[in-house]
Amino acid sequence: MVNIPSSEIAVVYVATGNKFIKEAEFSINSVISTMPDIKIYLFSDRPVNNCNLYKNIIIDKPKYSYIDKIFSLGLINEKYILYLDTDTYLVCPVYELFALLTKYDLACSRAPMRMCFKVDVPDAFSELNTGVLCLKSNNKTQLFFEKWRDTYLYQEQNQKPPHDQPSFREALWKNNLNFYILSPEYNCRFIRPGFLHGDVKILHGRDINLPAVAKYLNKTQKQRVHVPGKDKLMVYLQEQVIPSSSCADLMRENNLIQNEK
């Protein structure tokens, strides 16, 4: 494991409005309990009480849109940054995410739900989720933030995007960032169907009892699928099975053909 001084890393939140500030405080407590040596920043539109355990930065003239998030991320001086949406919950320490940034400029996971619209980006370059972002602070990422900001403002004015992921996708395609795709355990969108293998590290979604959700999902570390239902979250184990009879018949027929040759 790469050893990184705690002075070089930070966790960042952006919250505007009482609802999201309260949500951020709960998420921040999960970071404090799992990684107590990490510096934490909370960007908000108003002062937060009892924030002696993290640094509260007031956003100058907040827009109450995703531009507040994009702009704030460019203001952090620490070399390695983990940005978390307010509806996240750290299940365990994730220091290994910062180790990724010794090799990559950015790391994030694929979006389970995509809101792509027509832009000059190949369809195969699918949308990425911006709720958990690992970022290295350097000239390349600063240029990326500027491109992301400008693209978001253009899309907001001309295409009315539902949120910041379409502009993130386009900006990432058009910038020379060395990035890595995280496995879903580091951004478990349990409110959507998904796949897990090993322990969930970071939950991402709203629930009245996130610790209980984490405990339920981590009852096993085997390959499994989680599916949100009308009344409850379901987990199904993936069993190792032999090919179906139709596949077996096809394989046997192919072998007979090969043997005849």
Side-chain angles (χ1 to χ4, degrees):
M1 178 64 68
V2 179
N3 291 320
I4 302 173
S6 58
S7 60
E8 294 185 353
I9 59 182
V11 176
V12 179
Y13 293 85
V14 180
T16 54
N18 289 331
K19 172 188 174 181
F20 296 107
I21 289 174
K22 184 178 180 180
E23 209 170 56
E25 289 179 312
F26 181 81
S27 184
I28 287 171
N29 286 333
S30 74
V31 175
I32 293 172
S33 64
T34 55
M35 300 192 298
D37 58 327
I38 298 294
K39 188 180 295 183
I40 302 171
Y41 292 93
L42 171 60
F43 287 86
S44 62
D45 60 335
R46 64 202 72 181
V48 178
N49 296 325
N50 303 319
C51 62
N52 58 311
L53 295 176
Y54 54 90
K55 186 174 180 61
N56 182 209
I57 301 174
I58 307 304
I59 300 171
D60 184 32
K61 299 179 181 179
K63 304 298 183 184
Y64 298 94
S65 74
Y66 289 100
I67 200 66
D68 294 329
K69 165 182 171 178
I70 300 169
F71 180 78
S72 298
L73 280 172
L75 300 178
I76 301 300
N77 293 322
E78 276 73 20
K79 188 174 182 180
Y80 306 114
I81 301 165
L82 172 60
Y83 166 80
L84 296 172
D85 269 357
T86 59
D87 60 337
T88 55
Y89 175 78
L90 252 69
V91 182
C92 61
V94 289
Y95 292 101
E96 63 270 26
L97 289 179
F98 298 106
L100 285 176
L101 296 176
T102 62
K103 185 173 183 179
Y104 299 97
D105 298 311
L106 181 148
C108 58
S109 63
R110 298 196 184 281
M113 181 178 177
R114 293 159 196 160
M115 289 159 275
C116 301
F117 47 83
K118 278 296 179 182
V119 291
D120 188 22
V121 178
D123 289 343
F125 192 77
S126 62
E127 196 162 309
L128 301 164
N129 184 268
T130 60
V132 177
L133 294 176
C134 305
L135 298 155
K136 181 188 294 182
S137 182
N138 57 27
N139 291 334
K140 288 196 292 183
T141 52
Q142 286 299 320
L143 289 173
F144 169 73
F145 286 136
E146 293 174 13
K147 181 65 177 178
W148 186 12
R149 178 199 63 204
D150 293 344
T151 305
Y152 175 83
L153 291 173
Y154 175 83
Q155 290 181 358
E156 183 180 47
Q157 183 177 359
N158 296 279
Q159 298 166 308
K160 306 298 182 186
H163 61 58
D164 61 328
Q165 286 179 184
S167 55
F168 181 84
R169 172 179 175 245
E170 184 173 346
L172 190 59
W173 172 256
K174 295 180 178 180
N175 278 265
N176 187 29
L177 278 187
N178 184 21
F179 68 96
Y180 181 78
I181 300 298
L182 299 172
S183 66
E185 294 78 33
Y186 289 94
N187 188 355
C188 179
R189 297 288 282 145
F190 63 93
I191 60 173
R192 309 284 181 196
F195 175 81
L196 297 169
H197 188 187
D199 283 324
V200 170
K201 310 282 188 175
I202 302 176
L203 282 180
H204 184 189
R206 291 181 172 89
D207 190 272
I208 59 173
N209 195 341
L210 290 173
V213 173
K215 185 177 180 181
Y216 175 62
L217 290 172
N218 285 342
K219 277 186 175 181
T220 178
Q221 287 73 49
K222 293 181 179 179
Q223 296 180 43
R224 58 206 186 277
V225 174
H226 57 84
V227 181
K230 183 178 179 181
D231 300 314
K232 60 182 178 180
L233 178 67
M234 298 298 296
V235 172
Y236 303 93
L237 292 181
Q238 179 180 335
E239 300 293 343
Q240 191 70 32
V241 295
I242 62 172
S244 67
S245 58
S246 60
C247 289
D249 289 340
L250 179 61
M251 292 169 61
R252 183 164 56 250
E253 289 171 6
N254 286 337
N255 287 335
L256 289 173
I257 293 171
Q258 291 296 326
N259 289 335
E260 287 177 359
K261 291 182 178 179

